[in-house]
């Protein structure tokens, strides 16, 4: 059984850990998915923003005078198909002519003035020409678009501030920088997050492909928002894990409790058989003695046999009443016959009836006031004291001194029975009043069923009282009973 429980423990712990591991893995997957979802969304927004920004630039660029595009196909030196683009933009830099530096659309008046200046002189025309091998472009369409972007860059240069304000409008906070790429780049490239903590997402998008000019947009993924989105999933996963763990642990502790009860029941049955055998064999012996005429003739032997028989029957009867009382679940079910009892005299009776084991010195001191009266059930109080004294003798060495004393306060009396015996190990202390519990060290050495103290507690509580114990291993124990008066 012990081995089975150990295996069950291990299997349960593995099950809990596996479940927790799966939960963590699942949550990790959900988090990853949310990060990627955010990245896709941001990538689409950035693409839209760049298109929007190019439109704005197109509008802002003033007075394009002349642009020529040409795209030719050929074959390179090793026989591969090649594509060549040539673009030439002659753009009137109207802003320069008007002396305007800020980024804004020109007013009607400014445009009018500009036309005058242009008409006057075409000296301020800026011309830019480029011829690039565009063989790597995925299609002619992309090569044409690159030429138009070159033209746009001449007309209205790409600025960080322009993109930044548009991105901010879309709630994307990003670090933006402009760069020159090592080779021709035709399409934007997105770089997903590498780390889960503080994840970063980066897009490099060419804005003037033929000049290898690109914008780098790097943004931090707002993990707080993602966690907020996942909060219900997280709470649910946590509650579920907790619930499952508690259920499994509870299940195991119930099994452990049941197995302990099973063990207790077995030891109880064994001890009960042992305890019952004693008076029965005494009775058997007495009966065979009473059956012998020769023995009956001897008056001393006859009296002895009758006393032994009575004692054995008394023991049996006391034993069964104890068993009956202990099976009451409710203390109120225990019948009480309350009367005034002289505690000093009662303890004397207990001390006199106590059997002193051979080879053991037992000193019992009655320090209770001779006139000390308590109202209680006499026979129950007798059983309580008897159990405490018997235990003090049982759980001690070759010599033991037992002291009984009592004090009276308003509304209750306090009765103390202390001994200088073995004492109770601190690990046992909180269990000794439980049914069938036996001290770890004493269980094997002394006879008993672990019912004595639970019986005492039951009787004390039936009187509305309370029992407690102070004990130190190797020094002794002191049981204190408080009874209401
Ligand atoms: P039992 O004596 O049959 O074991 P009890 O309920 O009377 O059952 O006692 C429970 C346990 O408490 C004992 O097994 C023993 O370990 C401990 N115990 C009780 N009384 C004393 C005492 N006076 N000194 C030391 N240990 C004690």
């Amino acid at each position: 059984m012990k081995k089975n429980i150990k295996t069950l423990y291990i299997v349960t712990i593995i099950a809990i850990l596996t479940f927790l591991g799966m939960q963590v893995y699942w949550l990790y997957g959900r988090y990853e998915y949310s990060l990627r979802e955010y990245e896709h969304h941001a990538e689409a927004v950035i693409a839209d923003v760049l298109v929007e920004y190019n439109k704005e630039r197109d509008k802002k660029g003033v007075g394009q005078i002349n642009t020529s595009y040409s795209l030719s196909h050929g074959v390179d030196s090793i026989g591969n198909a090649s594509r060549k683009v040539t673009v030439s933009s002659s753009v009137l830099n109207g802003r320069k002519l008007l002396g305007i530096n800020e980024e804004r659309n020109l007013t009607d008046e400014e445009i009018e003035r500009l036309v005058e200046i242009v008409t006057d002189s075409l000296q301020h025309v800026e011309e830019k020409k480029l011829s690039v091998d565009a063989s790597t472009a995925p299609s002619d369409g992309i090569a044409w678009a690159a030429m138009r972007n070159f033209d746009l860059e001449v007309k209205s240069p790409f600025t960080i501030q322009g993109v930044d304000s548009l991105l901010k409008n879309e709630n994307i906070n990003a670090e933006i920088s402009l760069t020159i790429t090592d080779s021709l780049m035709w399409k934007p490239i997105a770089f997903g997050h590498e780390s889960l903590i503080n994840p970063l997402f980066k897009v490099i998008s060419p804005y003037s492909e033929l000049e290898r000019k690109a914008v780098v947009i790097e943004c931090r993924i707002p993990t707080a928002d993602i966690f907020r989105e996942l909060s219900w999933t997280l709470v649910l996963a946590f509650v579920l894990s907790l619930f499952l763990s508690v259920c499994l642990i509870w299940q195991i502790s119930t099994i452990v409790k049941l197995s302990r009860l099973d063990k207790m029941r077995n030891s109880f049955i064994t001890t009960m058989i042992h305890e019952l055998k004693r008076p029965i064999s005494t009775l058997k012996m007495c009966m065979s003695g009473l059956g012998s005429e020769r023995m009956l003739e001897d008056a001393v032997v006859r009296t002895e046999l009758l006393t032994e028989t009575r004692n054995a029957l008394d023991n049996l009867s006391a034993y069964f009443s104890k068993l009956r009382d202990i099976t009451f679940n409710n203390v109120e079910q225990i019948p009480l016959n309350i009367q005034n009892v002289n505690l000093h005299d009662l303890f004397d009776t207990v001390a006199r009836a106590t059997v002193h084991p051979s080879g053991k010195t037992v000193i019992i001191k009655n320090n209770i006031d001779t006139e000390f009266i308590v109202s209680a059930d006499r026979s129950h109080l007798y059983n309580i004291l008897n159990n405490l004294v018997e235990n003090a003798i049982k759980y001690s060495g070759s010599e033991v001194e037992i002291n009984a004393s009592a004090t009276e306060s308003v509304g209750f009396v306090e009765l103390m029975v202390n001994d200088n015996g073995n004492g109770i190990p601190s690990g046992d202390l909180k269990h000794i009043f439980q049914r069938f519990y036996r001290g770890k060290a004493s269980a094997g050495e002394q006879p008993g069923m672990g019912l004595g103290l639970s019986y005492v507690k039951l009787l004390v509580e039936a009187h509305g009282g309370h029992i407690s114990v102070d004990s130190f291993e190797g020094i002794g124990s002191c049981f204190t009973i408080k009874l209401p008066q």
Side-chain angles (χ1 to χ4, degrees):
M1 190 71 179
K2 222 174 176 182
K3 202 176 159 206
N4 283 352
I5 289 175
K6 209 173 165 186
T7 317
L8 192 72
Y9 255 124
I10 294 169
V11 170
T12 310
I13 287 169
I14 292 174
I16 291 177
L17 289 180
T18 313
F19 180 76
L20 290 180
M22 277 168 66
Q23 284 278 324
V24 170
Y25 183 69
W26 179 71
L27 284 174
Y28 163 77
R30 279 287 290 127
Y31 179 62
E32 255 304 332
Y33 177 76
S34 301
L35 289 182
R36 251 178 277 125
E37 229 182 18
Y38 180 85
E39 283 171 1
H40 288 144
H41 158 78
E43 200 180 331
V45 171
I46 288 171
D48 288 350
V49 160
L50 289 175
V51 169
E52 175 79 9
Y53 180 53
N54 280 351
K55 277 186 197 157
E56 262 185 28
R57 283 164 69 205
D58 206 19
K59 267 193 240 155
K60 271 185 204 160
V62 178
Q64 178 185 326
I65 294 173
N66 187 18
T67 306
S68 81
Y69 306 118
S70 99
L71 189 147
S72 62
H73 291 278
V75 180
D76 65 14
S77 52
I78 46 168
N80 288 333
S82 75
R83 182 192 287 121
K84 191 166 179 164
V85 291
T86 307
V87 57
S88 149
S89 290
S90 303
V91 177
L92 171 70
N93 195 335
R95 289 176 184 281
K96 225 177 212 178
L97 290 175
L98 289 168
I100 297 169
N101 290 324
E102 75 257 48
E103 283 262 318
R104 62 173 170 81
N105 292 338
L106 298 184
T107 63
D108 290 348
E109 275 167 41
E110 284 165 338
I111 292 172
E112 226 172 85
R113 166 91 187 107
L114 187 61
V115 171
E116 273 172 32
I117 297 170
V118 171
T119 324
D120 283 353
S121 163
L122 287 174
Q123 279 174 14
H124 293 284
V125 166
E126 279 185 7
E127 189 175 9
K128 220 171 170 187
K129 202 174 171 184
L130 198 73
S131 187
V132 175
D133 177 4
S135 308
T136 51
S139 67
D140 284 353
I142 288 176
W144 281 110
M147 285 191 280
R148 277 194 300 275
N149 282 342
F150 169 80
D151 183 30
L152 185 61
E153 178 63 7
V154 175
K155 269 165 71 180
S156 169
F158 192 100
T159 64
I160 290 175
Q161 295 79 3
V163 187
D164 194 32
S165 65
L166 285 177
L167 281 175
K168 282 212 169 88
N169 288 346
E170 296 294 333
N171 277 332
I172 292 188
N173 271 321
E175 291 224 344
I176 305 168
S177 57
L178 303 181
T179 184
I180 301 289
T181 57
D182 294 338
S183 55
L184 285 169
M185 187 177 170
W186 303 103
K187 274 185 187 168
I189 307 175
F191 296 90
H193 63 277
E194 278 172 5
S195 123
L196 287 182
I197 307 155
N198 243 340
L200 282 174
F201 162 69
K202 190 158 88 173
V203 172
I204 302 179
S205 180
Y207 60 88
S208 178
E209 294 84 341
L210 303 178
E211 295 173 287
R212 291 189 284 114
K213 286 181 179 173
V215 58
V216 182
I217 300 171
E218 197 170 21
C219 56
R220 204 166 289 283
I221 302 176
T223 43
D225 290 354
I226 289 177
F227 276 121
R228 210 168 302 128
E229 237 174 64
L230 289 178
S231 57
W232 276 113
T233 317
L234 284 170
V235 169
L236 216 75
F238 177 73
V239 170
L240 201 73
S241 308
L242 198 76
F243 182 67
L244 191 90
S245 307
V246 168
C247 278
L248 286 174
I249 290 167
W250 193 13
Q251 207 172 322
I252 291 192
S253 74
T254 312
I255 291 171
V256 170
K257 252 187 228 158
L258 285 178
S259 111
R260 201 183 302 145
L261 272 178
D262 195 51
K263 219 170 113 192
M264 280 176 172
R265 202 193 54 209
N266 285 343
S267 98
F268 170 69
I269 292 170
T270 318
T271 328
M272 196 169 74
I273 292 168
H274 178 78
E275 295 276 312
L276 285 177
K277 256 184 174 171
R278 235 184 325 164
I280 289 172
S281 52
T282 315
L283 278 177
K284 253 175 147 181
M285 206 182 69
C286 294
M287 289 309 287
S288 61
L290 287 172
S292 143
E293 294 234 341
R294 192 176 52 84
M295 280 191 166
L296 279 181
E297 271 165 20
D298 186 333
V300 182
V301 174
R302 201 173 56 224
T303 320
E304 237 173 54
L305 282 176
L306 285 173
T307 317
E308 284 285 318
T309 311
R310 206 175 300 119
N311 282 345
L313 285 171
D314 279 351
N315 276 345
L316 265 181
S317 155
Y319 185 69
F320 283 119
S321 356
K322 189 169 168 178
L323 276 181
R324 183 205 61 204
D325 287 351
I326 212 96
T327 49
F328 284 138
N329 278 328
N330 196 340
V331 284
E332 279 138 33
Q333 288 177 300
I334 296 175
L336 292 180
N337 175 20
I338 302 289
Q339 52 191 286
N340 282 341
V341 182
N342 182 312
L343 201 57
H344 178 92
D345 292 352
L346 185 71
F347 189 73
D348 262 357
T349 318
V350 172
R352 267 198 308 276
T354 305
V355 181
H356 294 209
S358 58
K360 187 177 249 196
T361 313
V362 179
I363 302 162
I364 302 179
K365 288 187 179 166
N366 187 349
N367 296 319
I368 304 169
D369 196 290
T370 47
E371 302 299 318
F372 205 101
I373 305 290
V374 290
S375 60
D377 183 305
R378 192 176 193 283
S379 66
H380 288 334
L381 204 52
Y382 178 92
N383 284 336
I384 291 172
L385 294 171
N386 189 39
N387 264 293
L388 294 180
V389 171
E390 268 184 8
N391 273 352
I393 297 171
K394 220 160 52 161
Y395 303 112
S396 57
S398 56
E399 205 179 302
V400 63
E401 188 179 305
I402 303 161
N403 272 289
S405 57
T407 58
E408 194 166 9
S409 295
V410 193
F412 63 87
V413 293
E414 226 169 44
L415 168 62
M416 269 94 63
V417 177
N418 64 58
D419 64 68
N420 59 356
N422 299 345
I424 305 166
S426 56
D428 285 341
L429 266 179
K430 56 177 183 291
H431 303 293
I432 56 167
F433 292 107
Q434 288 167 11
R435 277 186 207 184
F436 305 120
Y437 186 84
R438 305 214 61 213
K440 286 198 174 61
S442 43
E445 293 167 17
Q446 295 293 342
M449 291 184 286
L451 286 176
L453 286 182
S454 65
Y455 178 56
V456 167
K457 184 168 182 269
L458 195 81
L459 295 182
V460 171
E461 281 171 2
H463 283 83
H466 174 78
I467 182 164
S468 59
V469 61
D470 289 307
S471 185
F472 296 97
E473 220 179 332
I475 295 177
S477 313
C478 177
F479 287 87
T480 306
I481 292 164
K482 228 173 169 182
L483 292 178
Q485 291 299 298

